[in-house]
Amino acid sequence: MSASVIDFVATEARFGAHNYEPIGVVLSRGEGVWVWDTEGNRYLDCLSAYSAVNQGHCHPKILAAMVEQAHRLTLTSRAFHNDQLAPFYEEIAALTGSHKVLPMNSGAEAVESAVKSVRKWGYEVKGVPDGQAEIIVCANNFHGRTLGIVGFSTDPETRTHFGPFAPGFRIIPFGDAAALEAAITPNTVAFLVEPIQGEAGVIIPPSGYFAEVRKLCSANNVMLVLDEIQTGLGRTGKLLAEQHEGIEADVTLLGKALSGGFYPVSAVLSNIDVLGTLRPGQHGSTFGGNPLACAVARAAMRVLVEEGMIENAARQGARFLDGLRDIRANTIREVRGRGLMLAVELHPEAGRARRYCEALQSKGILAKDTHEHTIRIAPPLVITTDQVDWALERFAAILTQDFS
Ligand SMILES: *Cc1c(COP(=O)(O)O)cnc(C)c1O
């Protein structure tokens, strides 16, 4: 690392809370699948800011929409109407087939808003006695970092010394429909689940699981809440990951790529019943639904569809997955993925995934380890065939080394 890089890193360490442990690269520019560090080295971004930049870095059309809107009007609060919110509602509803939309900012806020809404639905529509609502969630979930959400995490790192936590959550294993059936009670208002567990290491449930989940939720009048904040908006090669399962959620959560990485924009999408319970004054957000966010989100959704990014994710994801599976290396325990949401799980004896990510960095690839032994791979959805092949060569070179 050069003197200037060490300076940035040291200054962050000196003043910042140490709640992250970044790889030692200081980025200053991005375009499409590429990012550059302060010394001009170029890297293929295989994290895409946890799938927030599905559309590629600094997409020119999203940038133009943002700049244009920033010149006109940025924030009105919801005390007044603005001329971007209605078209945003229309476009996101048309894209996803949803009936009602609640705009928020971060993903965690969308999750919190869904928790509040399904509880309210439970009391006012389903008839659950006040204060008794139960929400079922899965072990190894990741739904964000707010107090409400970390309270139903099973990761000790995430929870320890942040309590006391809110009651009303039951935890079951992911991918186990029988466990869901057993956990449902008359007070269950919702099952909150990721279609593919992202932070847990790209865990894909057994086929047929979600069809069974859908049936159980419908039969028991339980709202199926799919957290598609990471899996949604093309990441898995379909607009929503639920489409791989042939089901429809009652409530869908979007965030991250809803703004193409320009700005925090999230949304709760639901049938009429759930969001229909919210009345004026009962929930809100100063920035939620602001004109700048709406203009950015409209452009982010438009380019995703117009530029064929979802189909490209399916095509390039299949190529990437095949290519990773062809790598003969005894460091690899399993390769898995759907669309461009991929992971290489290393044998525990192969050493920590972090070492492999650092080695990949030296070859011009930025990827992120998760849970000690897993390298996740999630490039922007605009990646080309040549770029996939370029990346595969480098993955092969690194994975055939031994960093134990
Ligand atoms: C990132 C993520 C969140 C939280 O989003 P933030 O914008 O970081 O609050 C929630 N759920 C899933 C599945 C995520 O990947």
Side-chain angles (χ1 to χ4, degrees):
M1 281 193 266
S2 76
S4 74
V5 169
I6 290 167
D7 217 42
F8 284 115
V9 172
T11 305
E12 274 190 30
R14 187 159 153 234
F15 294 106
H18 294 186
N19 56 329
Y20 280 92
E21 192 188 13
I23 283 179
V25 60
V26 180
L27 301 174
S28 57
R29 190 160 74 84
E31 187 185 323
V33 297
W34 302 107
V35 287
W36 285 263
D37 67 16
T38 48
E39 291 158 329
N41 299 306
R42 188 184 74 163
Y43 305 91
L44 183 77
D45 182 359
C46 280
L47 183 63
S48 305
Y50 302 91
S51 294
V53 283
N54 283 0
Q55 296 87 338
H57 287 277
C58 299
H59 191 291
K61 288 186 180 157
I62 311 175
L63 174 65
M66 184 169 190
V67 170
E68 202 265 331
Q69 186 62 41
H71 279 290
R72 290 205 299 129
L73 184 66
T74 57
L75 184 61
T76 57
S77 87
R78 297 286 303 280
F80 310 110
H81 295 277
N82 74 69
D83 69 357
Q84 292 297 310
L85 185 58
F88 166 69
Y89 281 169
E90 269 183 339
E91 289 163 21
I92 197 171
L95 183 68
T96 60
S98 306
H99 300 283
K100 284 243 172 244
V101 186
L102 172 71
M104 297 297 286
N105 310 286
S106 68
E109 280 180 303
V111 175
E112 290 275 348
S113 302
V115 166
K116 288 174 73 177
S117 309
V118 293
R119 282 180 170 176
K120 207 159 191 302
W121 170 85
Y123 300 128
E124 295 176 8
V125 179
K126 184 169 176 172
V128 172
D130 192 33
Q132 302 293 304
E134 292 169 0
I135 295 173
I136 300 172
V137 299
C138 285
N140 302 317
N141 67 70
F142 184 85
H143 297 291
R145 298 294 197 166
T146 57
L147 201 47
I149 293 169
V150 301
F152 57 79
S153 168
T154 58
D155 177 8
E157 201 98 88
T158 299
R159 293 170 52 88
T160 304
H161 292 168
F162 293 124
F165 300 117
F169 298 94
R170 280 181 174 232
I171 298 166
I172 61 169
F174 181 66
D176 182 346
L180 176 64
E181 186 166 24
I184 292 173
T185 75
N187 293 340
T188 304
V189 295
F191 178 40
L192 166 64
V193 61
E194 300 155 84
I196 295 172
Q197 288 190 320
E199 298 311 294
V202 186
I203 310 299
I204 301 170
S207 71
Y209 170 64
F210 273 106
E212 200 57 39
V213 163
R214 180 64 275 180
K215 264 193 236 153
L216 287 167
C217 288
S218 298
N220 293 284
N221 199 19
V222 167
M223 290 296 112
L224 174 56
V225 183
L226 288 185
D227 181 346
E228 296 243 23
I229 290 167
Q230 190 164 147
T231 55
L233 299 170
R235 174 51 58 190
T236 68
K238 303 240 187 226
L239 177 73
L240 298 174
E242 69 173 16
Q243 294 170 284
H244 292 285
E245 313 289 348
I247 61 157
E248 276 183 34
D250 300 300
V251 179
T252 300
L253 309 179
L254 292 180
K256 294 202 165 114
L258 190 50
S259 70
F262 279 83
Y263 193 91
V265 185
S266 67
V268 180
L269 309 171
S270 92
N271 59 29
I272 290 179
D273 276 3
V274 172
L275 286 176
T277 60
L278 297 177
R279 313 248 60 94
Q282 296 176 344
H283 186 65
S285 160
T286 302
F287 278 83
N290 76 70
L292 186 58
C294 291
V296 166
R298 293 176 67 200
M301 291 189 285
R302 200 177 318 122
V303 301
L304 200 66
V305 174
E306 279 179 5
E307 298 180 15
M309 293 182 196
I310 302 169
E311 297 77 12
N312 192 57
R315 195 165 49 242
Q316 303 300 351
R319 185 180 187 89
F320 216 137
L321 186 64
D322 286 346
L324 289 169
R325 287 197 166 137
D326 284 344
I327 298 172
R328 291 281 146 254
N330 48 22
T331 54
I332 301 176
R333 181 176 186 178
E334 189 185 40
V335 173
R336 51 181 180 262
R338 192 165 276 168
L340 280 169
M341 189 168 181
L342 302 155
V344 174
E345 187 178 329
L346 304 168
H347 279 291
E349 316 83 75
R352 292 181 62 209
R354 168 103 184 180
R355 300 285 308 280
Y356 290 82
C357 291
E358 285 164 356
L360 283 163
Q361 181 201 338
S362 71
K363 295 247 181 226
I365 290 185
L366 294 182
K368 174 77 175 77
D369 53 301
T370 179
H371 289 264
E372 293 277 312
H373 302 297
T374 303
I375 307 168
R376 77 167 106 196
I377 305 166
L381 312 186
V382 296
I383 195 167
T384 64
T385 302
D386 287 348
Q387 290 163 347
V388 169
D389 294 347
W390 183 91
L392 282 167
E393 268 176 47
R394 280 149 187 85
F395 275 99
I398 296 301
L399 288 165
T400 46
Q401 292 177 38
D402 191 341
F403 292 97
S404 58

